[in-house]
Amino acid sequence: MDRRVLTTCLACILFALLYWKIFAPPEPVRGPGGTDPQASATTGRSPADSTDAPVPAAGGAPRNGGAPGAPGATPAGAYPATRVGAVEIPPFENEHLKVTFTNRGAAVRQVWLKEHWLTAEGKQERRQGEEHWVSLFPPEATYGDALVLSENVIAGRAARYGLDQVNWKVDDETGADGRRRLTFTYATEDGLEFVKRVEAGPGDHALDVELGVRTLADDWSGQPYQTMILRATGGIEDVERGWFTTEPQGVTMLLDRAGEPTVRQEMASGLEGDPVDASASGQTHVAFVGASNLYFGAMLAPKREGDATSAHLYAEGDHLPEKIRSELVVPIPVSKAGEELKTVSFDYYVGPKDPRLLEDQGLAVFQPLIDLDYGSWESFRWINKLLLVVLRFFHDFTGNWGVGIILLTLLVRICMFPITRTQQLSMQRYSQKMQVLKPKLDALRAKYKEKPQKFAQEQMKLLKEHNAKPPLLGCLTILITFPIFIAMFQILRTAIDLRQAPFVGWINDLALPDAMFDIPGTSFAFNLLPILATIAFVGQMKMAPKPADPQAQQQQKIMMFMPIMFGVMFYGYAAGLSLYMLTSSMWGMFEYKVIRQKLLGDAQREAAAAR
């Protein structure tokens, strides 16, 4: 096999391996100490929790005859349990969110993002109303509500209190600073009162959540903690699906003492029958748990170490991609009657996966979730972040993301021009020398037709005598452009800034195919930009210098299929990537023209000097 053909094959294999490495899903996370995080997830309890939570006996009566795990505590029925009907709670609204609540389970029912629209047309016209805004959770009748509190019981056992099924009493108050607090309470017959506070104010993208338990009896003696389950999501809407987008994913993160994250991210299809249990240990603590789709997420993070002992992810039932249940195991301290209520507290972020917004809200703990969108290869994430910073600068300067992509592409190509100029000049001069040496090479090939090794030796000798060295900068150009191309691919796939970003004409969303019109009789749209990008790519390759070697010529013909392959691969991808490829190819043709003029001028000067 010819050495150059072999080199091309190896380059294609390397490209495939790099592609797989960058887009491969994260490796399954082993539990602390090397244990399997799935080992205890089937029971809904982590190993660390198995002794913390009291276990009710059959028939709903706790062991030892009192409150769960409370020997000698007040018997059931000694106190009146909370008995209230369904209460209509006015939704919480600020400039970013609209959140609806229900007192059944003291839960969040739905979240609408008022600055993000379902369609590009809705964004352009700034349409208002729930039917136009992005919602985070699937239909309420099918999936569980968020922020539901339930008992952490062994699988198959009945919950004693059924906190997720009962109506809680609710108090609603708004402070002078505009912050609104909902206080949900539920009293049990055996003398415990569960308290849940949810608070938010103007400008917030996160809800402050506090949980506490107090006794109603002065002489209550029981376990100092009630180990409960706090649900972050009962599902997440599946939006913005395309050829290169992923299903919604559940995610959980542990942090070690040095602040290094260990993240587990799974699609619903990977969770069905194989749930995740990420348990804290002496060396790690739970950072957050939640679920996200391509651009938005609902994430629950303990504010203090120890406020959660483990995190669970599940998926089951119909509409599986949307039905990701994420939750924390929470040890709630029990406060005695008359004492100040001791609480565990959480940040519940509901909004876009925007790193600047998270930083402004003081919620940088969720940043690793966005980092995962930049690929599993950490070494190249800085390229994505740098390009996105430059792209935002051009957008702020021009007011148009499409123009920003064009300017970013030109900036990259201009910075690379010295390398590409040197490489192309070397290639042109090498081709010219090979044209001069072609008769001698043909004679050597005929002379050593039966001795290929001897021909190779004589060929190298001839090339060395005439200083005809193949250019070596071609690989350097590929090594520079490939990470930039992959970075643009990932930015356009995940960056919230480019969602529904218009360019010109019919292109109203650079994160989706340009969809000039629907093809009659099919479910496909006609995308013009990838076709133009493919034509420009072919034109750029046709302007490349023709090699003198017949085998190299054959190789160049084979490489002409690469633009067509790219055009087919990315036909249904983001219009912004096609715009990047189109601009890059057009600049490449301009470069070839400039370099040819340079070579022509050099040749004319050499001819004049010879005269």
Side-chain angles (χ1 to χ4, degrees):
M1 181 181 293
D2 182 76
R3 189 180 308 170
R4 282 166 291 192
V5 175
L6 178 61
T7 302
T8 303
C9 293
L10 291 175
C12 292
I13 293 173
L14 178 61
F15 180 90
L17 290 174
L18 289 172
Y19 184 92
W20 177 86
K21 175 64 179 175
I22 291 173
F23 295 107
E27 292 293 327
V29 176
R30 306 297 293 180
T35 61
D36 190 343
Q38 278 80 30
S40 60
T42 55
T43 66
R45 297 158 63 89
S46 69
D49 303 320
S50 59
T51 58
D52 291 343
V55 180
R63 294 177 181 175
N64 306 318
T74 305
Y79 288 85
T82 298
R83 296 287 188 268
V84 295
V87 176
E88 184 176 347
I89 304 173
F92 167 80
E93 283 196 70
N94 62 15
E95 61 270 39
H96 308 304
L97 306 173
K98 179 178 181 179
V99 185
T100 57
F101 299 87
T102 173
N103 72 320
R104 183 174 176 82
V108 169
R109 180 139 286 181
Q110 186 57 275
V111 176
W112 286 274
L113 305 179
K114 299 169 65 174
E115 296 173 312
H116 299 276
W117 287 262
L118 291 173
T119 65
E121 293 78 11
K123 178 180 180 179
Q124 291 172 1
E125 298 174 9
R126 299 290 170 175
R127 298 172 184 170
Q128 299 300 310
E130 298 170 4
E131 67 273 19
H132 301 298
W133 298 326
V134 166
S135 59
L136 284 185
F137 303 134
E140 57 189 11
T142 306
Y143 306 93
D145 294 324
L147 293 188
V148 168
L149 190 66
S150 59
E151 294 153 87
N152 187 30
V153 297
I154 294 177
R157 299 277 186 146
R160 177 173 178 79
Y161 303 124
L163 298 176
D164 55 337
Q165 300 297 322
V166 297
N167 292 331
W168 294 49
K169 180 183 175 182
V170 58
D171 292 320
D172 190 347
E173 56 183 338
T174 302
D177 57 356
R179 293 188 64 81
R180 183 179 171 196
R181 172 185 286 187
L182 295 177
T183 302
F184 298 91
T185 56
Y186 182 78
T188 68
E189 293 181 346
D190 52 8
L192 290 180
E193 183 181 54
F194 292 85
V195 181
K196 179 192 293 183
R197 296 173 182 152
V198 182
E199 182 176 341
D204 286 347
H205 261 289
L207 308 179
D208 291 331
V209 182
E210 287 186 320
L211 302 175
V213 181
R214 65 163 56 94
T215 68
L216 301 178
D218 294 333
D219 58 349
W220 187 91
S221 59
Q223 295 287 348
Y225 290 91
Q226 291 286 318
T227 304
M228 310 295 288
I229 297 289
L230 179 61
R231 183 187 300 162
T233 63
I236 192 79
E237 282 280 21
D238 188 8
V239 297
E240 313 290 350
R241 295 297 301 279
W243 286 15
F244 290 90
T245 57
T246 59
E247 296 177 1
Q249 296 181 324
V251 62
T252 183
M253 185 177 81
L254 301 177
L255 284 175
D256 63 18
R257 295 303 176 192
E260 290 297 321
T262 302
V263 184
R264 177 69 181 269
Q265 191 173 32
E266 283 285 353
M267 291 185 292
S269 55
L271 291 171
E272 187 178 23
D274 190 20
V276 169
D277 181 352
S279 300
S281 69
Q283 301 300 319
T284 60
H285 66 275
V286 177
F288 68 82
V289 72
S292 69
N293 53 40
L294 190 61
Y295 295 112
F296 309 101
M299 317 301 299
L300 185 64
K303 290 189 177 182
R304 300 183 299 265
E305 290 186 32
D307 281 356
T309 58
S310 62
H312 301 158
L313 299 173
Y314 305 88
E316 56 189 358
D318 298 330
H319 304 282
L320 188 61
E322 298 176 340
K323 197 170 184 181
I324 296 176
R325 181 158 56 97
S326 58
E327 59 193 28
L328 292 176
V329 177
V330 179
I332 306 178
V334 177
S335 305
K336 292 188 177 182
E339 293 181 346
E340 182 180 356
L341 184 67
K342 294 176 286 189
T343 63
V344 289
S345 55
F346 307 87
D347 286 314
Y348 187 51
Y349 177 76
V350 282
K353 291 155 64 174
D354 185 341
R356 295 174 299 175
L357 177 61
L358 292 176
E359 185 176 355
D360 291 343
Q361 295 270 316
L363 300 171
V365 64
F366 301 119
Q367 179 63 41
L369 174 64
I370 300 175
D371 290 341
L372 285 176
D373 289 338
Y374 292 150
S376 58
W377 206 343
E378 297 184 17
S379 303
F380 284 95
R381 288 177 184 168
W382 67 271
I383 300 178
N384 302 50
K385 295 177 181 179
L386 176 61
L387 290 180
L388 193 53
V389 168
V390 177
L391 185 57
R392 284 171 178 155
F393 169 79
F394 285 134
H395 167 262
D396 293 341
F397 180 72
T398 64
N400 187 294
W401 286 104
V403 177
I405 291 174
I406 293 173
L407 293 178
L408 174 62
T409 308
L410 295 178
L411 176 63
V412 171
R413 293 303 301 259
I414 289 172
C415 290
M416 291 179 56
F417 181 73
I419 298 175
T420 55
R421 178 178 180 276
T422 302
Q423 186 262 335
Q424 291 177 19
L425 286 174
S426 299
M427 179 63 74
Q428 289 274 13
R429 288 166 179 159
Y430 175 71
S431 297
Q432 292 172 355
K433 289 182 179 180
M434 292 300 292
Q435 289 286 353
V436 174
L437 296 176
K438 187 176 183 301
K440 295 182 179 180
L441 288 173
D442 291 341
L444 287 175
R445 187 176 290 107
K447 182 178 180 180
Y448 299 106
K449 184 177 181 181
E450 306 297 331
K451 299 178 181 180
Q453 292 184 348
K454 182 65 175 176
F455 167 72
Q457 293 174 358
E458 293 297 324
Q459 182 186 36
M460 292 299 296
K461 181 179 179 181
L462 179 65
L463 295 179
K464 187 175 181 180
E465 288 176 356
H466 292 82
N467 196 28
K469 298 179 182 180
L472 301 177
L473 291 176
C475 291
L476 179 60
T477 304
I478 295 174
L479 288 175
I480 294 175
T481 56
F482 176 72
I484 294 174
F485 175 82
I486 293 298
M488 290 297 296
F489 179 94
Q490 293 170 326
I491 287 173
L492 292 165
R493 184 170 64 104
T494 58
I496 187 67
D497 308 75
L498 291 163
R499 180 180 181 267
Q500 298 176 350
F503 178 36
V504 294
W506 74 95
I507 305 173
N508 57 15
D509 190 346
L510 287 166
L512 292 176
D514 60 285
M516 190 175 187
F517 58 84
D518 292 330
I519 301 176
T522 72
S523 59
F524 298 98
F526 178 80
N527 303 325
L528 180 61
L529 278 182
I531 296 175
L532 294 178
T534 300
I535 294 172
F537 200 172
V538 171
Q540 179 185 0
M541 295 194 70
K542 281 187 171 293
M543 293 182 68
K546 302 296 186 293
D549 186 12
Q551 291 183 338
Q553 292 177 4
Q554 184 65 25
Q555 180 183 353
Q556 189 179 57
K557 290 180 181 178
I558 295 173
M559 293 298 290
M560 289 295 294
F561 289 97
M562 188 171 68
I564 300 175
M565 180 186 69
F566 270 82
V568 173
M569 285 178 57
F570 298 111
Y571 180 79
Y573 194 64
L577 185 67
S578 296
L579 182 61
Y580 167 81
M581 295 170 63
L582 174 61
T583 306
S584 182
S585 295
M586 294 183 67
W587 176 264
M589 289 189 285
F590 171 74
E591 281 184 343
Y592 275 127
K593 185 175 181 181
V594 170
I595 290 169
R596 281 183 176 178
Q597 290 178 346
K598 163 69 176 172
L599 286 171
L600 180 62
D602 289 346
Q604 291 173 345
R605 284 191 292 271
E606 289 175 2
R611 290 196 298 267

